[in-house]
Amino acid sequence: MADHIGCIPELDQKKYDAREQVKIICLGDSAVGKSKLMERFLMDEFRPQQLSTYALTLYKHTANVGNKTVAVDFWDTAGQERFQSMHPSYYHKAHACIMVFDVQRKITYKNLANWYKELREYRPEIPCCVVANKIDADLKVTQRSFSFAKKQGLPFYFVSAADGTNVVKMFREMINRAVDYKQNPSDFMDEVLEELENFDLEKKEENSEAEEDELKAESPELA
Ligand SMILES: Nc1nc2c(ncn2[C@@H]2O[C@H](COP(=O)(O)OP(=O)(O)OP(=O)(O)O)[C@@H](O)[C@H]2O)c(=O)[nH]1
Ligand SMILES: [Mg+2]
């Protein structure tokens, strides 16, 4: 997958360097409801791009954050999680992560520890949350405590992709956190990248201003 990743426009990771683009990934065991959650959130604009050869689905979304419009790419796996591990390119340049388990299957909760460990190997500082899905199947689970999130200091949500409980709230908060992280990265490498990007953007702005000035000098009617 990584060998070809730069060749596919949808998977061009360089675009996440642009200020207004964020990448949010979703982790968790098979059948916990990752895809259904995204579909529920994006119901009105449902337009997934299936890249089956690459075991990926990209869900594209446009969000308003503060006074900015942000393009959000949600990355969803199609089956790779069955191998209990994701390809490194899945994590590359991600700005936030949504970790999902199924309240009806204890093993999916236990496996969060493995997913979290792998996530932190690649993305030590990005915002992450824990999502307990399928609460519609048994509302009593919301009385139970799931300590993993608390122990790791992560936000926790009880949700249902089936009836929509908390889905929009969780996604909105994660988009905000992803944008916030991108603007103020706490990972050293990300900080360096952000600095370089700003430097690049400033240079481009300077160049286009200079070009404009030149143009005005050549054609005074534009001034
Ligand atoms: N009752 C209930 N069922 C759900 C909910 N969310 C998902 N499901 C069901 O759980 C099954 C798996 O959902 P998916 O969204 O395909 O799960 P996934 O995590 O994307 O699974 P993979 O793509 O195999 O990794 C489907 O049969 C869904 O209908 C929910 O909130 N409540
Ligand atoms: Mg899926």
Side-chain angles (χ1 to χ4, degrees), residues 25-28 32 37 96-103 108-113 115-116 119-120 126-133 135 145-159 166 170-171 173-174 177:
I25 57 174
C26 202
L27 288 180
V32 292
L37 280 167
C97 173
I98 297 167
M99 276 198 317
V100 187
F101 74 97
D102 175 349
V103 290
T108 67
Y109 174 67
K110 278 194 171 170
N111 283 337
L112 288 179
W115 289 117
Y116 193 58
L119 169 73
R120 289 312 185 206
I126 61 168
C128 177
C129 72
V130 176
V131 170
N133 189 32
I135 58 162
S145 79
F146 294 91
S147 57
F148 178 78
K150 205 170 181 186
K151 270 191 204 148
Q152 303 294 344
L154 303 172
F156 178 86
Y157 302 87
F158 280 115
V159 309
N166 275 339
M170 181 274 286
F171 275 101
E173 287 180 9
M174 289 313 286
R177 293 181 67 206

Side-chain angles (χ1 to χ4, degrees), residues 197-214:
E197 260 167 50
N198 291 343
F199 181 70
D200 248 21
L201 282 169
E202 275 162 26
K203 253 173 75 179
K204 270 185 206 147
E205 275 161 23
E206 267 172 33
N207 285 348
S208 61
E209 271 169 27
E211 271 168 28
E212 243 174 61
D213 287 346
E214 267 173 37

Side-chain angles (χ1 to χ4, degrees), residues 34-44 46 48 59:
K34 301 181 295 296
S35 307
K36 285 278 176 269
L37 280 167
M38 292 191 191
E39 287 165 21
R40 160 65 70 168
F41 176 62
L42 303 170
M43 235 161 21
D44 301 334
F46 186 45
Y59 296 84

Side-chain angles (χ1 to χ4, degrees), residues 29-36 81 133-134 136 160-162:
D29 286 4
S30 188
V32 292
K34 301 181 295 296
S35 307
K36 285 278 176 269
E81 71 277 31
N133 189 32
K134 308 196 190 181
D136 58 284
S160 164

